[in-house]
Amino acid sequence: MTQYILALDQGTTSSRAILFDHDGRIHGIAQQEFRQIFPESGWVEHDAGEIWRSQLAVAQQVLKENGVTAEQIAAIGITNQRETVVLWDRATGEPVANAIVWQDHRTAGLCDALREQGKGQVFQQKTGLVIDAYFSGTKLKWLLDQVPGARTRAERGELAFGTVDSWLIFKLCGKHVVDTSNASRTLLFNIHTMQWDEELLALLDIPAGILPQVVPSSGIVGHSAVELLGGAIPIAGIAGDQQAATFGQACHRPGMAKNTYGTGCFMLMNTGKQAIASRNNLLTTVGWTIAGQSDYMLEGSVFNAGAAVQWLRDGLGIIKTSADVEALAQSVPDSGGVFFVPAFAGLGAPYWDAYARGTILGISRGTTAGHIARATLAGIAYQSADVLDAMQRDAEIQLTELRVDGGAARNDLLMQFQADVLGVPVVRPMVTETTALGAAYLAGLAVGYWQSTEEIAAQWKVEKRFEPLMSADERAQRLAQWRRAVQRSQQWLE
C-alpha cells in the first residue's frame, strides 16, 4: 500500500492540501480561497472558522479525489501564514473575534509608543525582531484590550491564543501547541532560551495562561480525530510558511538562501546553530527545531509583491489574470523610466516604515500600461535586492545563488530581472510548492518516512537557472534610482 505525506498549507488567501510521495513529488492537490475582510483602512482580518472549514474541506477533497485512505497517510505536516493571531474559547473551540492578519497595521501607534519608551532593544535582543505591527504580540494585546470581556476571560484561563498552526492543530486534535518557528514570530518568545519571556509578556500585558506549549518543528504532537479524515493520522511537522519553504528548498547549510514570491516576498538565509543579530534592520528568526537542535535564519520581509500584481488586475483592471502581467510587461523593452514602489501596507525590511505608501514615479505622456506592468515586476525585484544587500552585510557571506519559489517565481521575466539586479544566479527548482513540501519533509522525518536531511536534499532538482546579464554599472545606476523612489514613498502618512 503506497504511503503519502499530507501537507496542509494554510496561506493568506487560500487553504491548500497537497499529497507528496516518497520522491517529494506531488500526487494530488486541492485548494480553496477564503474571504479577506477589510473593516478599516490598514486593517486586515480573516474569519478563523472559515480558515478551519476551508482547510478541512481541501484535506478531505484531496484524499477523496485521489482515492487515498487515512491508512495511506504516514503523517500530516502543517505550514501556515505567520503572525496572524487567533483567540478562541477553550471550551467551545470557537473564536472570540476575527483573526487579525499579519498585514494588519492597526497597532502601529502602540508600536511607536513602545519604541519611544526605549523598548526596541529589549525586544530585538530577546526575539530577534523589530517592534512592528506585523508581529503577533501587539495584535494579541489589541484583542485582549478591545474585545469585550476578553482580558478577564483570558486571566481566568478560559481563552487560548495561537498562530494559525496552533488553531489548526487545536481543531484537528484538541492540543494547544505551537512550534518554535511560529513562536519566534510573536514578539513574546526568547529565541536564545527557547521559552516564552516573562518580561516581554509583562510589557505587552499578556497573561501567560493563554499561550500554547512550544514544541519542535519535527515530531508527533497528536493524532487527527478519526471522524475528520477517516483515521487517527500523526500530526508530525509544523513550520511557518517561510521557514517551511527554506526547508523544502533544502537550504540546510549556513549561507544557503531562498526567496519566496507570494503575496509578499520573504528571503531567508540559513545561519546555522547561531542566531546572528542583524545590524541592518533584518530579522533573526528560528528556522526549525529537529531532535533538540535549532537552525537560525536571517530574514527580510517584503510586504507587497504578488499583491502589487493583484492590484494591477483588481484595482486598475489592466490585466485579466495575474499570469497576464508577463506578456503585458514584455510589450515594452523597459519600464520607460517609471518606478513603482508597491508600499500599499507600508515598507518591510530593511526600511520598516508603516507610514510609507505606494508610489509611482517617472510617468510621462508616453507611459503605457506595459510600462506600469514592467515597473511593477521591477519593483518586486528591487525590494528583494535591498533585502539581500542587507543580508550579505549581516552574515558576512557572499551569496553564490538564490533559490526561488512561490507563484511569481514562475514568471521568467521577473526571475531574469531579479538575477540582473542581484548580480547572482537565480535558480528555480522542479517543485515550486516548496512551502508545503517543507512541511511534508518535517513530518516525514519525524515518522521515519524519510531518514535524513541528506536524503531530502538529494531530491532537490533544478528546473531553470537565470544568469545575470546586466553590467555592474547599469545595476548600480538602477538601484540608486530605485532608492530615490523609495525615499519619495516614505513617511507619506502623517
Side-chain angles (χ1 to χ4, degrees), residues 221-245:
V221 296
H223 292 76
S224 62
V226 174
E227 66 274 14
L228 297 176
L229 299 170
I233 305 168
I235 300 161
I238 317 165
D241 51 12
Q242 301 315 320
Q243 290 98 324

Side-chain angles (χ1 to χ4, degrees), residues 347 351 353 355-357 359 485-492:
L347 287 166
Y351 303 103
D353 182 351
Y355 303 101
R357 282 298 175 266
T359 309
V486 170
Q487 284 173 347
R488 302 288 202 281
S489 76
Q490 287 186 281
Q491 294 293 317
W492 181 253

Side-chain angles (χ1 to χ4, degrees), residues 48-60:
E50 208 175 321
I51 286 177
W52 162 241
R53 290 188 295 275
S54 63
Q55 188 64 76
L56 178 62
V58 290
Q60 293 169 337

Side-chain angles (χ1 to χ4, degrees), residues 300-493:
S301 315
V302 169
F303 294 153
N304 291 288
V309 177
Q310 288 164 351
W311 177 71
L312 297 184
R313 181 191 70 194
D314 304 335
L316 291 188
I318 61 173
I319 51 174
K320 284 213 163 49
T321 72
S322 293
D324 296 341
V325 72
E326 187 169 8
L328 180 57
Q330 279 178 322
S331 69
V332 291
D334 54 46
S335 68
V338 175
F339 282 79
F340 178 17
V341 184
F344 302 129
L347 287 166
Y351 303 103
W352 297 107
D353 182 351
Y355 303 101
R357 282 298 175 266
T359 309
I360 302 178
L361 292 155
I363 296 173
S364 70
R365 280 295 300 272
T367 300
T368 66
H371 294 116
I372 302 283
R374 193 135 186 153
T376 303
L377 295 181
I380 295 169
Y382 286 131
Q383 290 180 104
S384 295
D386 285 343
V387 170
L388 184 69
D389 176 55
M391 202 167 268
Q392 293 189 138
R393 283 183 286 145
D394 271 344
E396 296 176 354
I397 297 170
Q398 282 300 114
L399 198 67
T400 54
E401 66 176 30
L402 181 68
R403 295 184 171 188
V404 297
D405 54 66
R410 298 189 192 98
N411 185 317
D412 284 5
L413 183 66
L414 172 57
M415 293 301 101
Q416 183 57 56
F417 192 75
Q418 187 70 84
D420 288 344
V421 295
L422 290 179
V424 297
V426 165
V427 186
R428 187 169 63 203
M430 296 291 280
V431 178
T432 54
E433 294 290 355
T434 53
T435 303
L437 182 58
Y441 280 149
L442 288 164
L445 279 173
V447 297
Y449 187 81
W450 289 289
Q451 299 305 314
S452 66
T453 53
E454 288 75 20
E455 182 186 357
I456 286 167
Q459 294 186 352
W460 189 87
K461 301 280 190 298
V462 175
E463 185 259 321
K464 190 163 185 180
R465 190 177 175 90
F466 299 86
E467 297 287 345
L469 304 174
M470 192 181 283
S471 71
D473 285 351
E474 186 183 351
R475 181 181 309 124
Q477 187 185 350
R478 284 182 182 241
L479 285 167
Q481 270 187 294
W482 160 254
R483 282 164 193 152
R484 280 175 61 214
V486 170
Q487 284 173 347
R488 302 288 202 281
S489 76
Q490 287 186 281
Q491 294 293 317
W492 181 253
L493 295 187

